[in-house]
Amino acid sequence: MDIGELAAHDFEQIQILRDDAAGMLAFVAVHDTRLGPAFGGIRRWRYRHPGAALADALRLAEAMTLKCAAAGIPGGGAKVVLVDAPSLDRGAAYRRIGDFVEQMNGRYFTGPDVGTETQDLEEVARRTSFVARPDEIGNLAEPTAVGVFAGLRAVGDRLGCDGVRGLHVLVQGLGAVGRRLAQLLVGAGARVTVCDLDRDLVEQVRTELGVEVVEPGLLLSITADVWAPCALGGVVHDLSLEHLKVRAIAGAANNVLAAPAHGAALFQRGILYAPDFVMNAGALIHGALNHLEGAPPEPARIEAIGARVGSILDASIAEGIAPELVAQRLARDELDKRPREPYFPARPR
Ligand code: NAI
């Protein structure tokens, strides 16, 4: 993203956190808080260069704004990206992030993301209470899986099935979300084929659930109803598009489309695409509402993802535009209802 694009994307705050003694470089992006405090986890990852880490923080923070707005959460989007390196003093780095979050005084509530584990969140929690701690909030993969499952039922209905009953779903990735999703699907009568790079994990899930298995490299050679990406993002690209033998794509992974044009390409080919930031909002809904309302949300708040996905797919067909664009419009309409004023919590006197 160059400077011109940055201005067009309207970020409220971009900050560098640096501590040479700890080998630490992190980028904070706060995108848009007009609906309420910013939510977004801490990602720790290795990058080719610092610019790539900053670009990731920007992209992820903006996606969190859209995710909040589309899910009806009175909050906005932010992200911390911590550049991983062999010399990183991990504990010191997470404590420094905790100090930063504390200084934000409630303008930003953080939590887990790729590369951030329970012990890291404990370090953050030593410095601030504005963090989702697994021991307090539970495993956020559970509401994510429940939300994805609700979305898949809506997709199944649109493919002429009775929800997921009899639907053939390829679950790619059997981590915290994918494994739970596979359990829910099998329990509801879906036909499930799974894959993961971890062969032991695949074997465990095959034994536990009696599902079919495919080698990761052969996933796209399978003819199925739905591909549920629950591993990495960027999986719908020029090459994979050519090989697709599924009728729909709907999963948990963030940024499933390598580029916006791939959403349009799926639409032209008649492959239903359930936008990722709507499908995988379960963790955000659970974590944000728990923070804002002081108690975990009613299950119906997560289940509502199904109705939302359904109405986006229906509007996409009715209007002849890709579902990703419908979902972005839904989010931007919510944002446009409020004046562009950043959220700053009232300071206690
Ligand atoms: P995880 O790290 O627990 O599991 C990912 C799994 O994917 C691992 O078992 C890994 O071996 C496997 N994998 C990696 N590359 C693969 C490949 N090429 N083919 C097959 N398997 C592969 O991650 P988690 O928490 O289950 O999240 C899954 C996805 O959902 C991620 O993209 C994450 O960003 C997204 N997500 C997760 C949320 C959560 O609450 N955990 C919330 C929102 C999004």
Side-chain angles (χ1 to χ4, degrees):
M1 205 178 276
D2 65 23
I3 298 295
E5 279 181 280
L6 255 185
H9 286 251
D10 278 346
F11 284 86
E12 287 177 8
Q13 185 176 352
I14 298 167
Q15 203 144 337
I16 298 172
L17 303 182
R18 184 169 172 167
D19 179 343
D20 290 346
M24 177 204 190
L25 176 64
F27 296 97
V28 184
V30 179
H31 178 245
D32 186 324
T33 61
R34 77 182 90 171
L35 299 180
F39 293 94
I42 304 164
R43 176 164 296 194
R44 182 176 56 87
W45 195 249
R46 285 198 182 176
Y47 292 90
R48 277 173 290 116
H49 55 85
L54 172 59
D56 214 18
L58 297 172
R59 195 173 47 88
L60 291 163
E62 185 170 9
M64 287 303 292
T65 299
L66 295 179
K67 199 184 283 201
C68 281
I73 299 293
K79 209 78 178 184
V80 176
V81 165
L82 171 61
V83 178
D84 201 10
S87 59
L88 180 69
D89 179 340
R90 203 161 144 183
Y94 278 96
R95 287 192 295 280
R96 173 74 185 84
I97 293 169
D99 288 336
F100 170 80
V101 174
E102 180 62 16
Q103 279 168 18
M104 295 280 273
N105 188 38
R107 179 166 144 73
Y108 173 32
F109 185 80
T110 195
D113 196 276
V114 175
T116 292
E117 293 161 14
T118 302
Q119 81 225 37
D120 302 316
L121 294 171
E122 295 299 338
E123 296 291 351
V124 178
R126 287 169 67 172
R127 301 301 176 90
T128 185
S129 59
F130 296 109
V131 55
R133 292 171 58 165
D135 56 335
E136 288 174 355
I137 207 168
N139 180 1
L140 288 173
E142 174 68 20
T144 302
V146 169
V148 171
F149 179 63
L152 279 168
R153 288 205 305 266
V155 170
D157 287 344
R158 268 99 194 142
L159 293 178
C161 294
D162 174 14
V164 298
R165 184 166 300 282
L167 197 73
H168 185 191
V169 184
L170 304 176
V171 179
Q172 180 188 28
L174 293 171
V177 179
R179 185 173 185 161
R180 181 71 183 118
L181 177 64
Q183 285 172 344
L184 291 168
L185 287 167
V186 168
R191 177 182 166 195
V192 177
T193 300
V194 302
C195 80
D196 197 289
L197 300 178
D198 182 337
R199 285 168 185 265
D200 293 341
L201 182 57
V202 169
E203 197 45 36
Q204 275 175 32
V205 173
R206 192 181 67 76
T207 310
E208 178 193 323
L209 299 177
V211 291
E212 295 161 61
V213 167
V214 60
E215 288 292 319
L218 297 177
L219 179 80
L220 296 184
S221 66
I222 302 279
T223 301
D225 294 309
V226 187
W227 170 19
C230 298
L232 304 175
V235 286
V236 176
H237 45 68
D238 291 346
L239 203 61
S240 61
L241 257 174
E242 280 179 26
H243 293 95
L244 285 180
K245 293 183 184 149
V246 293
R247 301 161 68 203
I249 301 175
N254 280 310
N255 303 315
V256 165
L257 304 174
H262 298 117
L266 287 175
F267 185 68
Q268 277 159 14
R269 288 184 50 181
I271 297 174
L272 288 187
Y273 172 65
D276 46 20
F277 67 87
V278 181
M279 285 289 287
N280 68 18
L284 168 75
I285 295 169
H286 184 92
L289 291 180
N290 190 62
H291 173 62
L292 293 169
E293 297 173 1
E298 294 294 322
R301 296 294 297 264
I302 312 282
E303 292 286 334
I305 288 174
R308 206 167 290 126
V309 166
S311 64
I312 288 168
L313 294 177
D314 292 345
S316 157
I317 302 288
E319 299 177 34
I321 56 173
E324 180 82 357
L325 298 180
V326 176
Q328 286 183 9
R329 186 184 63 200
L330 173 81
R332 295 197 194 285
D333 285 351
E334 279 307 306
L335 289 166
D336 288 344
K337 287 179 188 166
R338 298 283 286 273
R340 181 83 222 227
E341 285 167 8
Y343 171 85
F344 286 102
R347 288 195 178 270
R349 282 193 285 169

